[in-house]
């Protein structure tokens, strides 16, 4: 699959003067609920109304969606509001029913993206469709798996494609429900700059109070749009209550978001050139320092080898991590960043020492 300007055709056809928006409840619960939310959103920046019809739950016993009847509610909402309709599909049967009910936008969820057999089944079922098909990143931070899902759909002759960044699962305790790992989405964006990229702040944050913050960060990175879970009574939603916002809150988010220009005037470009040159020098200095640090790690490895001492010293590592987090905070660097940075440096040091000890 190669990047092409044609990848943006479906998005440009909307002729929007604002980011592309998909919004609606996590789950379709009742016909009345679906219609009320759709009518609340029809005169806003929302282009596509979303509602989960089939809900894959992590553990059994939870609400797993209303099923096929919900598609009829979406049809009625489309007829009454003119909004396009979208839902998640996970099996060939879901795809067939969605097509039969003329659903406009289909997306493959994170759990499904992680299973190439399931994605291929969906691609085969949707082969050649002119519907918009979006694919979320897999639950684990695997660029190849995400792109593989896109390629399977592309090879099935599906031209109206896009990707949704919904964050990645982690055992670490962070402020996010699913950590963004922005660099993975940026790497995908660099490989395929014309493939529409949509942020899912609802699933990244798991917290309605953080929706604006994460959406703004995505727009600052030139994302094309957003998919935000919206409910008339979020606290009593049947699924994912904490991450849903009311229609009024969603409309206020639209007002508060700032859409940046892709480029500026000549004065801007001159300033950026100077600042980027400064960054390049500092990056080279960082590499030089890292090289010197690893040279010391090599010496440590040699001393450990001569004294038959194990590579990993837990107490020393914990001491370094604690000290660096505190020092980083004084320089305005987050604990999350410092921890990731020094874990990577520590891992590289260990590998250097192991080569020497086992060499």
């Amino acid at each position: 699959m190669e990047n092409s300007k044609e990848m943006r055709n479906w998005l440009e056809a909307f002729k929007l003067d604002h980011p592309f928006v998909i919004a609606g409840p996590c789950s379709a619960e009742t016909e009345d609920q679906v219609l009320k939310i759709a009518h609340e959103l029809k005169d806003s920046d929302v282009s596509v109304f979303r509602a989960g019809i089939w809900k894959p739950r992590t553990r059994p016993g939870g609400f797993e969606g209303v099923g096929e009847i919900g598609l009829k509610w979406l049809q009625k909402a489309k007829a009454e509001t003119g909004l396009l309709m979208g839902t998640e599909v996970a099996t060939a049967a879901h795809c067939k029913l969605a097509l039969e009910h003329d659903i406009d936008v289909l997306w493959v969820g994170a759990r499904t993206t992680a299973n190439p057999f399931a994605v291929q089944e969906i691609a085969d079922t949707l082969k050649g469709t002119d519907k918009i098909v979006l694919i979320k990143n897999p639950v684990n931070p695997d660029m190849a798996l995400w792109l593989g899902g896109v390629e399977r759909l592309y090879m099935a002759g599906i031209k109206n494609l896009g990707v949704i960044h919904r964050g990645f699962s982690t055992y670490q305790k962070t402020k996010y429900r699913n950590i963004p790992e922005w660099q993975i989405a940026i790497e995908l964006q660099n490989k395929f700059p014309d493939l529409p990229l949509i942020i899912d702040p609802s699933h990244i944050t798991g917290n309605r109070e953080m929706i604006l913050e994460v959406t703004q960060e995505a727009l600052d990175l030139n994302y094309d749009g957003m998919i935000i879970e919206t409910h008339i009574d979020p606290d009593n939603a049947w699924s994912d209550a904490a991450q849903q916002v009311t229609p009024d809150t969603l409309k206020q988010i639209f007002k508060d978001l700032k859409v940046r220009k892709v480029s500026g005037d000549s004065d801007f470009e001159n300033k950026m050139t100077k600042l980027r040159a400064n960054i390049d020098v500092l990056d080279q200095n960082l590499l030089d320092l890292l090289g010197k640090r690893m040279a010391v790690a090599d010496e440590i490895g040699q001393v450990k080898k001569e004294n038959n001492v194990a590579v990993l010293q837990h107490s020393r590592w914990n001491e370094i991590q604690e000290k660096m987090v505190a020092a980083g905070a004084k320089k305005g660097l987050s604990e999350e960043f410092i921890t990731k940075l020094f874990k990577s440096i520590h891992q590289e040091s260990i590998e250097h020492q192991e080569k020497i000890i086992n060499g």
Side-chain angles (χ1 to χ4, degrees), residues 111-124:
R111 294 177 178 85
T112 308
T113 304
N115 182 349
F117 291 108
V119 177
Q120 189 60 56
E121 179 182 279
I122 289 170
D124 291 341

Side-chain angles (χ1 to χ4, degrees), residues 188-204:
L188 184 146
Q189 196 176 38
N190 288 337
K191 288 177 181 291
F192 296 95
D194 290 304
L195 182 65
L197 175 59
I198 296 167
I199 190 71
D200 179 352
S202 303
H203 282 90
I204 285 177

Side-chain angles (χ1 to χ4, degrees), residues 89-99 118 121-126:
V89 290
T91 67
H94 293 171
C95 294
K96 290 175 182 175
L97 285 169
L99 293 177
E121 179 182 279
I122 289 170
D124 291 341
T125 307
L126 296 177

Side-chain angles (χ1 to χ4, degrees), residues 39 82 101 118 123 133 159 170 258 272 285 323:
H39 278 280
H101 290 81
V133 183
K159 301 301 182 185
T170 178
K258 297 177 177 62
M272 290 302 297
N285 290 342
K323 183 169 65 176

